[in-house]
Amino acid sequence: STGVVTSLLEMIIVSSTPRARLLAGRVLAKVSEPGQNEHMNDVIKRIKKVCEVQPALGMSCIVPTIDILLRSLDEAQRAAAAQCLTSWCMVRELAEQIWFNGAEPLIDLLLTDAKVNSDGVYYAVQAMVSLGTHEEMRESLATFTFMWEGEKRGTMIAVRKVLKYAPRDITCEAAGIFYTLWEFGGLEQLTDILMNEDAELAT
C-alpha cells in the first residue's frame, strides 16, 4: 500500500541506522520482484505503484535508491538498492528515468571487485539486463562512457571487467549483456577496449 511504501522510503531517507536503511531496501526489492507464475502486466502495475510519487514526501523511491548506490559506504545497502533497480528497470518509463539518473552509479557498482560485493555486482548486472530488454535504449546503454577522476568508464568497459574477473554465475549474465548490445555499438566499444589493452601491454 501507499502507506507502507512511504514508511519504507522514510527509512531510506532519514533513518539514523544502517540496518534500518538496509532492511527497507531489501523489503522494497522483495515487494517489487515478480512472483512465481505472476502475469507480467500485474508485475508492472505493482512496480508502478511502488515507484509512484509519495504525496507525504513529494518524491518517489527511485532517486533515493540511486543515491544509496552513489553515496553509501555499506556494500550490503548498495546491493539491496541494485536489487530494487533490477525489477524497476523492467518498466520502460522507469528504466529511462533510472538510466538518466543512475547510469554512473550503476557502472561504478559493476566495476566493484566481486570479492568485495558479489551481490552488488550480480544485481548491477541484472539491472543492466533489465535495461537491455528495452530495444530503444540499447544504443545509449552500449555507447555510454564518462570520465571519473581522469579515468574513462562506461558500460562495455565495466562488462569487460566483469567478464574477466567475476565468478562464473555473474559472467554468464554479463555475457548476455554483450550479446544484447553488441550490434548497437557494443562491439565497437569492446574492440576499442581490447586495442587499448594491447597498446598498454606493448609499452
Side-chain angles (χ1 to χ4, degrees), residues 17-34:
T17 65
R19 186 174 181 278
R21 191 175 292 114
L22 172 60
L23 179 61
R26 285 178 172 170
V27 172
L28 271 178
K30 195 66 178 176
V31 300
S32 301
E33 289 178 351

Side-chain angles (χ1 to χ4, degrees), residues 117-152:
N117 190 359
S118 61
D119 286 345
V121 175
Y122 174 80
Y123 286 119
V125 168
Q126 291 293 323
M128 294 299 297
V129 171
S130 291
L131 288 165
T133 62
H134 309 292
E135 186 170 349
E136 66 278 10
M137 293 183 64
R138 289 175 184 169
E139 183 175 354
S140 174
L141 295 171
T143 59
F144 179 74
T145 60
F146 63 101
M147 297 301 295
W148 179 266
E149 296 182 350
E151 175 190 0
K152 185 178 181 181

Side-chain angles (χ1 to χ4, degrees), residues 81-101:
Q83 187 178 357
C84 291
L85 299 183
T86 297
S87 296
W88 300 345
C89 285
M90 292 190 295
V91 181
R92 184 182 60 79
E93 55 265 40
L94 299 181
E96 292 173 347
Q97 183 181 347
I98 288 165
W99 185 243
F100 179 81
N101 289 286

Side-chain angles (χ1 to χ4, degrees), residues 14-57:
V14 302
S15 174
S16 59
T17 65
R19 186 174 181 278
R21 191 175 292 114
L22 172 60
L23 179 61
R26 285 178 172 170
V27 172
L28 271 178
K30 195 66 178 176
V31 300
S32 301
E33 289 178 351
Q36 189 174 10
N37 300 322
E38 187 177 9
H39 195 280
M40 185 52 65
N41 286 341
D42 294 331
V43 175
I44 290 174
K45 287 178 183 177
R46 178 157 45 80
I47 291 172
K48 286 182 176 179
K49 190 72 175 175
V50 168
C51 292
E52 68 184 6
V53 173
Q54 301 301 308
L57 298 174

Side-chain angles (χ1 to χ4, degrees), residues 99 102-111 124-125 127-129 131-132 137-147 152-163 174-182 184-187 189-190 193:
W99 185 243
E104 293 184 14
L106 262 177
I107 297 299
D108 182 66
L109 187 55
L110 275 176
L111 289 167
V125 168
M128 294 299 297
V129 171
L131 288 165
M137 293 183 64
R138 289 175 184 169
E139 183 175 354
S140 174
L141 295 171
T143 59
F144 179 74
T145 60
F146 63 101
M147 297 301 295
K152 185 178 181 181
R153 294 184 171 185
T155 303
M156 301 313 296
I157 294 170
V159 171
R160 163 69 172 159
K161 182 176 179 180
V162 172
L163 289 172
I177 298 174
F178 176 66
Y179 180 79
T180 300
L181 300 181
W182 74 271
F184 294 89
L187 181 60
Q189 290 286 327
L190 189 60
I193 294 165

